[in-house]
Amino acid sequence: ALSHLSSSASASSDPAFAAMAMSSSFDPPVAHSTVPDTAVATSSDSGFLSMPNVAAAVSALPHHLAGSHLLQPAGVSHIPQASGAQQTMSKEPAHAPLPGPPGKEHALQPPLTRAYYGLPENAVLLCNFNQLYKVCPNMFETWLRILRRCPNAVLWLLQFPPAGEVNLRRIAEANGVPQERLVFTPVASKIEHLRRGALADLCLDTHVCNGHTTGMDVLWAGTPMVTLPGETLASRVASSQLKALGCPELIASSFEDYENKVAMYVNDLVQLNAIQQKVRLARVTSPLFNTKLLTRNLERAFRAAWDVFEQGSMPRHIVIPKLE
């Protein structure tokens, strides 16, 4: 019953449940014990295993899975497949119309272009597609400083929820950032969401709670993402993704470093293009989207945790070594 959660550990009451970390598989996983050393793990409570951020009463679960980086504080895509490191890959997506919703596949939607979303053609387009509750005051102030330092940049956010747009625009205006420097668009369907991410030049991650699935989506679109990890799992997901992608240079060490990294890419289009090309190649060569490797590592972690249970041992940290 490794996938079963007891009623005392219901995820529905956990605010973090909606932002479940998806990156626990990118590094070989660690089956992390949450049972105190003095506790006795009986057969009735040793069969439960969870993902971090899923269970409200996670202390009641003997093991949970997380990539090693997270536990250390401080289909066919439209994107071309790379056949070699020297291949040049276009940043713009193919502007083919999207299929319509299920049951209306022939009702084609408009093509994906910056103009369609009211985005400036010649600006450096910064984006964040998280729900707006993830945007803490410190990070939004950092984004506004970046916009003031980089007059050629525009920030693309979602109306998620629409009321958030009013508040953020008010704060931006009070801090001397013109309204046209921020563009808000509605939430899109999954297919459109994945494809339109390639219209952006650089993704700006949130800090307290990173983009999790959203981070995976934007990296799959081939758009680089700058992140600032914290000490909690929810604040370290994006940096785990970038480490697995082989792009640690996109991980900042402070708000000041975050601001400087973004400003450097915005003001140096040669470096911006270089990191875009690196991300687009890495998405098809790194472990980040390698589901076969994920499956093998996950099965090894399940087996290791089960072996501990069969031996009658106390739950403990289990580090799964990398596969060669």
Side-chain angles (χ1 to χ4, degrees), residues 9-313:
S10 171
S12 62
S13 61
D14 185 2
F17 178 71
M20 182 177 69
M22 298 297 293
S23 64
S24 62
S25 58
F26 305 147
D27 302 318
V30 176
H32 177 212
S33 170
T34 56
V35 175
D37 291 340
T38 56
V40 176
T42 65
S43 59
S44 62
D45 65 12
S46 293
F48 299 106
L49 178 145
S50 80
M51 295 284 286
N53 280 7
V54 174
V58 72
S59 60
L61 304 174
H63 293 98
H64 63 76
L65 292 175
S68 57
H69 174 75
L70 297 181
L71 299 179
Q72 298 171 3
V76 178
S77 170
H78 67 282
I79 298 175
Q81 300 294 307
S83 59
Q86 302 303 315
Q87 180 172 342
T88 300
M89 305 166 77
S90 171
K91 181 67 179 77
E92 292 296 326
H95 289 161
L98 293 166
K104 299 181 180 179
E105 289 80 3
H106 299 295
L108 298 181
Q109 302 176 30
L112 289 175
T113 63
R114 285 193 175 188
Y116 174 68
Y117 294 103
L119 303 166
E121 293 289 345
N122 298 320
V124 176
L125 186 56
L126 310 175
C127 76
N128 181 281
F129 297 143
N130 288 329
Q131 295 190 55
L132 296 178
Y133 79 84
K134 291 189 177 185
V135 183
C136 67
N138 286 342
M139 185 53 75
F140 192 61
E141 290 171 5
T142 300
W143 292 352
L144 295 179
R145 288 196 299 272
I146 292 168
L147 292 176
R148 290 196 295 267
R149 286 178 61 176
C150 306
N152 59 328
V154 169
L155 180 58
W156 181 14
L157 302 171
L158 295 186
Q159 297 167 330
F160 198 14
E165 176 182 357
V166 177
N167 296 329
L168 293 181
R169 285 193 179 279
R170 184 188 308 117
I171 295 171
E173 188 171 27
N175 282 271
V177 176
Q179 294 295 305
E180 61 268 21
R181 305 290 303 284
L182 282 76
V183 178
F184 287 81
T185 57
V187 177
S189 65
K190 187 65 173 181
I191 296 175
E192 182 180 1
H193 165 69
L194 286 168
R195 294 183 69 243
R196 74 180 182 177
L199 293 171
D201 292 302
L202 189 66
C203 176
L204 307 187
D205 190 32
T206 45
H207 171 57
V208 176
C209 186
N210 298 164
H212 297 172
T213 305
T214 305
M216 293 290 286
D217 291 343
V218 77
L219 292 174
W220 183 248
T223 298
M225 173 176 61
V226 176
T227 190
L228 172 61
E231 294 188 356
T232 64
L233 182 145
S235 69
R236 299 180 65 80
V237 172
S239 55
S240 179
Q241 293 168 349
L242 291 170
K243 282 172 63 71
L245 195 67
C247 297
E249 64 268 39
L250 292 169
I251 303 173
S253 59
S254 65
F255 280 101
E256 181 180 9
D257 186 38
Y258 181 107
E259 177 183 339
N260 289 336
K261 281 181 182 293
V262 175
M264 180 268 293
Y265 285 120
V266 173
N267 293 322
D268 188 335
L269 298 185
V270 173
Q271 292 201 62
L272 178 60
N273 181 70
I275 194 62
Q276 289 172 346
Q277 300 302 328
K278 181 177 180 180
V279 168
R280 294 175 75 79
L281 177 62
R283 62 179 288 280
V284 295
T285 58
S286 73
L288 184 59
F289 297 101
N290 187 335
T291 54
K292 289 184 178 180
L293 181 61
L294 157 63
T295 302
R296 293 174 66 192
N297 279 328
L298 191 60
E299 289 173 342
R300 293 163 68 223
F302 287 161
R303 171 54 61 186
W306 182 253
D307 288 344
V308 170
F309 166 67
E310 282 196 321
Q311 294 164 9
S313 302

